[in-house]
């Protein structure tokens, strides 16, 4: 179920906001600090009649934006839980809103989840109370961005990789490595494109994991000062060859259509759109792997409607609903069964565990190294943000 250009335009703010991580605060928080977590529920009771949801645009659709896009109304009818929702534009905004205690449920990206956990804003979830959880791909469960000390803090929503896209007429032979945008970028000077966010530093770190193993990088989100400096140097060397840093993916579509860009980082949904328009581009998950994202539905530790909250987590993870929501957004669903309700799962490599194992899902860089090291302090997102400003000048 590929989205039309008009649909892409309608949700541009959604995906742009999803990946925008500028101006983050409180980035020095570690996943193990903060208040003691609220105990997970052991049983479900009668639903409370309403649930308040905080989410990215496009995640809680009730037909008011598009009459054909609605997975909320049936939930309300089935559960008796009336949904009120609010959208947000950045992870920082979501964290601040969650601190108010006004929301029962939040859809959080990997640059927010650990901070929500550390701040005691969300509670562990009892997955035994969420029947749909059983069908979710194993490679999305109990990961560094959605669990702590073996406790699940939410339900995975969907996922995607940041791929390498290239113009098949210009970039030959077909690239298999990120070297085409890093060490070898000068051959396409001025026509390289890169994602415009401090989180892109992780892409450089991922490349260095393979090409400079002496740096000892084991996780692109766990960089000590020396490792961060190496990634920054690589990005500074790349900078003269970059024609455009993009955050609005419609602009990247336009740039590859016009030929202003011929190689750079992208998303599968962009390639799908270009292919539909006959633009000669292709994508590859390079030999070094790629960064990517996986969002998590989490329950507030102050939830006024915990039973309706659990009902929502089960609903949004149910195959047909998850298929609708992730297709509308442009990402792989969270379960194989959801693919029976979509016709594009193959394009998104949904369920391909080997493919998914090559994706390093966004995780907030924090002072406590997420790679397990205890003999050094890692750089947090505040340092990454300062470094990104330095890189771009």
């Amino acid at each position: 179920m590929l989205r039309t250009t008009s649909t892409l335009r309608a949700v541009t703010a959604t995906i742009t906001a999803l990946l925008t991580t500028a101006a983050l605060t409180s980035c020095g928080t570690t996943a193990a600090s903060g208040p003691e977590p609220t105990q997970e529920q052991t049983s479900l009771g009668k639903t409370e009649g309403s649930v308040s949801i905080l989410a990215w645009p496009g995640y809680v659709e009730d037909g008011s934006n598009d009459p054909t896009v609605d997975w909320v109304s049936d939930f309300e009818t089935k559960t008796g839980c009336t949904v009120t929702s609010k959208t947000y534009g950045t992870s920082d905004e979501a964290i601040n809103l969650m601190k108010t205690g006004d929301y029962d449920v939040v859809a959080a990206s990997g640059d927010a989840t650990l901070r929500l956990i550390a701040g005691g804003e969300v509670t562990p979830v009892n997955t035994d109370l969420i029947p749909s959880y059983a069908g979710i791909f194993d490679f999305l469960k109990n990961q560094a961005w959605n669990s702590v000390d073996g406790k699940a803090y939410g339900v995975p929503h969907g996922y995607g990789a940041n791929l390498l896209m290239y113009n098949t007429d210009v970039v030959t032979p077909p690239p298999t490595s990120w070297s085409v945008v890093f060490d070898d970028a000068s051959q396409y000077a001025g026509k390289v494109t890169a994602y415009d966010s401090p989180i892109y530093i992780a892409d450089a770190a991922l490349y260095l994991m393979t090409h400079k193993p002496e740096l000892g990088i084991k996780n692109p989100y766990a960089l000590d000062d020396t490792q961060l400096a190496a990634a920054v140097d690589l990005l500074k060397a790349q900078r003269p060859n970059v024609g455009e840093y993009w955050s609005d993916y419609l602009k990247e579509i336009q740039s590859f259509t016009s030929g202003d860009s011929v190689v750079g980082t992208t998303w599968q949904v962009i390639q799908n759109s270009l292919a539909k328009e006959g633009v000669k581009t292709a994508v590859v998950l390079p030999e070094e792997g790629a960064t990517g994202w996986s969002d998590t539905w989490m329950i507030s530790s102050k939830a006024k409607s915990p039973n309706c909250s659990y009902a929502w987590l089960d609903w949004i993870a149910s195959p047909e609903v998850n298929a609708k929501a992730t297709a509308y957004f442009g990402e792989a669903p969270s379960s194989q069964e959801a693919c029976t309700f979509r016709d594009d799962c193959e394009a998104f490599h949904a369920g391909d565990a080997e493919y998914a194992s090559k994706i390093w899902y966004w995780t907030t860089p924090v002072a406590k190294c997420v790679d397990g090291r205890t003999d050094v302090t890692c750089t947090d997102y505040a340092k990454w943000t300062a470094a990104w400003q330095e890189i771009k000048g």
Side-chain angles (χ1 to χ4, degrees), residues 140 228 254 320 350:
L140 296 179
L228 177 64
Q254 181 180 11
E320 186 171 4

Side-chain angles (χ1 to χ4, degrees), residues 96-300:
N96 289 332
L97 287 169
M98 286 299 291
K99 288 178 180 179
T100 67
D102 292 338
Y103 304 94
D104 299 307
V105 175
V106 62
S109 295
D111 61 347
T113 50
L114 294 185
R115 290 188 289 158
L116 288 168
I117 294 169
E121 305 301 336
V122 292
T123 182
V125 297
N126 184 345
T127 57
D128 290 340
L129 303 180
I130 306 171
S132 297
Y133 188 82
I136 291 175
F137 295 127
D138 287 340
F139 55 77
L140 296 179
K141 298 177 179 178
N142 300 315
Q143 298 300 324
W145 63 89
N146 59 26
S147 66
V148 173
D149 296 333
K151 286 185 175 292
Y153 275 80
V155 173
H157 178 68
Y159 67 99
N162 299 313
L163 301 169
L164 174 62
M165 185 161 69
Y166 59 97
N167 182 305
T168 56
D169 283 344
V170 178
V171 182
T172 57
T176 60
S177 167
W178 287 110
S179 63
V180 71
V181 299
F182 288 124
D183 289 333
D184 303 325
S186 61
Q187 61 185 315
Y188 303 109
K191 295 196 172 185
V192 175
T193 185
Y195 187 67
D196 190 5
S197 169
I199 202 68
Y200 185 64
I201 291 172
D203 292 60
L206 178 63
Y207 180 73
L208 293 172
M209 285 172 64
T210 297
H211 297 273
K212 286 196 175 181
E214 64 272 18
L215 288 169
I217 300 173
K218 303 301 181 184
N219 183 311
Y221 306 102
L223 306 180
D224 59 35
D225 287 327
T226 300
Q227 294 165 339
L228 177 64
V232 169
D233 287 344
L234 180 62
L235 291 168
K236 284 182 177 179
Q238 181 198 50
R239 178 69 181 91
N241 301 306
V242 174
E244 180 180 43
Y245 289 99
W246 66 277
S247 57
D248 179 338
Y249 75 3
L250 289 178
K251 290 183 178 179
E252 189 183 39
I253 290 174
Q254 181 180 11
S255 184
F256 270 86
T257 300
S258 67
D260 289 340
S261 294
V262 299
V263 66
T265 186
T266 196
W267 308 323
Q268 183 66 53
V269 67
I270 296 176
Q271 168 60 17
N272 292 351
S273 178
L274 288 168
K276 186 176 181 180
E277 299 301 321
V279 182
K280 294 183 178 180
T281 57
V283 294
V284 62
L285 192 153
E287 58 196 25
E288 298 92 352
T291 60
W293 75 90
S294 173
D295 290 345
T296 304
W297 288 100
M298 311 178 87
I299 298 177
S300 170

Side-chain angles (χ1 to χ4, degrees), residues 28 219 221-225 227 365-373 376-381 383-384:
N219 183 311
Y221 306 102
L223 306 180
D224 59 35
D225 287 327
Q227 294 165 339
V366 291
K368 182 179 179 181
C369 301
V370 295
D371 63 0
R373 285 182 292 170
V376 296
T377 298
C378 278
T379 53
D380 61 25
Y381 216 99
K383 288 189 175 181
W384 283 42

